[in-house]
Amino acid sequence: MVENLSSQLPTLEKYIGRIKRQQTEDKDCLKWDIEKGIPHLPVPNLDATLTKYLRCLEPIQSGDEFDRTKILVDQFRSPNANIGQRLQDMLIEHATKSENYAVDWWLEDMYLANPLSLPINSNPAFVLPQQHFNNTENYLKFIAKLISGILDYKVLIDARALPIDRATSREKGQPLCMEQYYRLFSCYRMPDITVDRLIQIRNNKVIYHQGEHVIVAYRNQFFVLNVVINFTRLDEDDIYTLLRRIVQIADDDPWATDEVGIYTSLPRRTWANVRTELVKDALNRDSLDLIERCIFLVCLDQSETNDSDEEDGFVSFSKAVKRDFVSLGDQILHGGKTMLNASNRWYDKTMQFIIGTDGLLGLNYEHSPAEAIAVIQLIEHLFKYIEEKSHERFRRSKSLCELPIPHRLKWNLNNFLRQNISLSKELLRDAINDFDLYILKFTDYGKDFPKQHNMSPDAFIQMCLQFTYFKMYNKLVSTYESASTRRFHFGRVDNIRANTPEALEWARAMVDESGNISAAEKLRLFRQAMQAQTDLMVQNILGDGMDCHMLALKQIARDNNFSIPDLFLDPGYALSNHFNLSTSQVTTNIANSFICYGAVVPDGYGCSYNVHSDNILFCVSSFNSCSTTNSREFAESLTDTLYEIRDLCTLVQRQQQTIALRRPSYAAKLAAQKFISSNSIESNEHNIT
């Protein structure tokens, strides 16, 4: 298929060719030999990891707690006990036999062993710019173009022919692992009784004689949209025709099937039990298999205002209004507060594209196969490609095959399964009511401001988050910020812990009321804290992170039937992994778009941020059931912090400029020295006489 790209997908060939040409002309890219492949993730030095571990706990433990943890760390690395070094040696041996020593353990710990439900707790929402549709035809043709564009782009994914991403900082031009892209349309998260499984549902070859299909969800029903019929890929017109038929079928019989999609919002072990019962019936098993093997889902959401229009027969497009960010984020994340579209999802599927009749557009993605950066870059490439394709005069030749009637999936549910639909709705409704999302668009400055002061925008924002939490709770807490390890084979992420001793020292200085700490000293401490965070970031992306290493040491002891070392049974280890602040920079160049997600602990905050030149968009989340957290209050305190730091930087800069103005010029200094010297000679001569 790739060999025939120029004849079948000319726009895609031009688009990809341009990216590859840019890389061949980039001097940073040319320094790297991509034929050598991606290196394996190195096992960090044991002493260095344990030192980092103590540094991350020192600011968040009491003195007695920290002393206890230090004793356990010393015991772990003691040559006499030989616990840590023995596990380290086993880990190094394990690393020589694996493609990535940490990724399987990390995947299980981070996602597959997590029993919480996927919406809010795990699956992020990627909200894209709200569209405007005039009528049903306009709406469905947009969706057809989107599906067709994804299928075009998937040709390269299946052939593993995407241009290789390159590092943009620290070893610029270094090739990055592309495996996350190749899992986006080929994986499925299957619930299980103890640990979920990440299933690879298809090989990565383009085989058009095999039927490929997309699942379309509409009115909480699921339809099979075959995109390859009689060895022919359907074009946009064919896809539009089938979408129109799906809408007509569901509108004619809106209650034809049970709302089984709601099952996937259950806690994972509960869903596993329900699924076990569901597949006992052959009809259910066949329907479930079609969903699990699909390329992706497209969810056609109804407007939550639900204003019907008899003339259109579908919805009143003329009444669609621009929606606020929070309502858009809620609907992409969990279906919306009204629960009108709550069952119009299948959360186990990696990619769910959601398009509402009111212009809602976004993506709910299951997180275990890939990080946000792979999804963001895929969507940005996709949107650019679709835009370029819309200007092309070329159209694929019309399919001559007879279009079949779309197949609606059917289910056979017993009393147990029907009861669990009710339970699923009840649990999801409670989760939605508990979820507290606040979106702050800070417009007084963006990344240009810290850059003007020679500061890293990401380190700047991370310190602002640390200080905001400190002001509200008079302490720092374990903080998670993902750092990509894609420079290594099968690399995912490690953790940049911004809660450093330097951050605590700076935060305390900022609230000091003694008047003994000058603005210049506060700014020096701020820069010192940012440098500590930046140093951790660099260590992480270059494969010298702490979190994956610590997890691997614990897991290799477990897998070899060793007693779990006391270090990992210490409350300090649990505290270090209780992330009251879960943060991530999720920068996208698509205007009015953002990613949001839930807090990862009941008493914590989730905070993603999208940094632009002149503004910063923060998505802050928490849970109403926690009496000590409040998303709006955190966002308001964060706003104050952003002003405080701006004022601090500006004040010190002005003071330095004033001092500089008061300093005499070099010429003035020279003249003054000559004058003093001359007077001194005269004085000496006078004294001599």
Side-chain angles (χ1 to χ4, degrees), residues 463 500-503 505-506 522-535:
M463 289 306 104
T500 60
E502 291 84 357
E505 183 183 10
W506 166 67
K522 291 177 181 178
L523 184 60
R524 186 191 70 80
L525 293 173
F526 180 53
R527 289 186 180 277
Q528 180 177 279
M530 285 192 295
Q531 186 59 53
Q533 196 268 352
T534 300
D535 291 344

Side-chain angles (χ1 to χ4, degrees), residues 200-388:
Q200 191 83 17
I201 59 170
R202 63 181 72 242
N203 59 29
N204 287 311
K205 295 179 180 178
V206 182
I207 304 177
Y208 265 11
H209 64 267
Q210 291 183 346
E212 290 197 315
H213 64 277
V214 172
I215 293 293
V216 177
Y218 175 59
R219 288 190 178 272
N220 306 321
Q221 302 175 37
F222 297 97
F223 294 83
V224 177
L225 175 63
N226 289 307
V227 294
V228 178
I229 301 175
N230 293 341
F231 308 99
T232 305
R233 238 288 302 282
L234 301 189
D235 66 12
E236 286 180 29
D237 288 343
D238 290 334
I239 294 172
Y240 164 74
T241 299
L242 292 178
L243 288 172
R244 185 84 194 197
R245 289 180 182 176
I246 287 171
V247 167
Q248 290 172 345
I249 292 169
D251 284 345
D252 289 343
D253 193 357
W255 310 106
T257 64
D258 294 288
E259 300 177 35
V260 295
I262 198 74
Y263 286 146
T264 62
S265 69
L266 282 167
R268 301 306 291 171
R269 308 305 155 242
T270 306
W271 168 213
N273 286 319
V274 170
R275 186 183 183 281
T276 299
E277 181 67 23
L278 190 66
V279 297
K280 290 179 180 178
D281 183 274
L283 178 65
N284 298 338
R285 193 161 54 246
D286 291 343
S287 294
L288 194 58
D289 180 65
L290 284 165
I291 293 177
E292 293 175 352
R293 288 191 299 104
C294 75
I295 307 170
F296 55 89
L297 259 80
V298 177
C299 306
L300 280 59
D301 273 15
Q302 297 172 272
S303 170
E304 295 202 339
T305 58
N306 205 27
D307 294 322
S308 61
D309 187 332
E310 294 181 1
E311 292 182 5
D312 186 79
F314 185 44
V315 68
S316 178
F317 289 91
S318 61
K319 296 181 181 180
V321 296
K322 188 170 181 61
R323 293 170 56 179
D324 65 85
F325 282 164
V326 171
S327 72
L328 295 172
D330 278 337
Q331 190 166 337
I332 300 295
L333 198 63
H334 52 63
K337 291 187 180 297
T338 68
M339 293 195 65
L340 178 65
N341 300 289
S343 301
N344 208 48
R345 302 283 187 274
W346 199 271
Y347 291 106
D348 295 352
K349 196 64 193 174
T350 306
M351 304 288 276
Q352 288 191 99
F353 295 88
I354 303 166
I355 309 97
T357 55
D358 59 0
L360 169 90
L361 178 63
L363 171 71
N364 183 291
Y365 67 96
E366 199 285 296
H367 211 329
S368 61
E371 300 306 317
I373 185 64
V375 175
I376 290 172
Q377 293 197 22
L378 173 71
I379 298 302
E380 288 186 347
H381 284 320
L382 176 64
F383 269 60
K384 290 176 184 175
Y385 166 59
I386 291 176
E387 175 64 23
E388 291 186 17

Side-chain angles (χ1 to χ4, degrees), residues 467-479:
F467 185 47
T468 297
Y469 197 98
F470 184 85
K471 287 190 299 181
M472 293 181 68
Y473 301 100
N474 197 34
K475 64 178 182 179
L476 297 187
V477 289
S478 284
T479 303

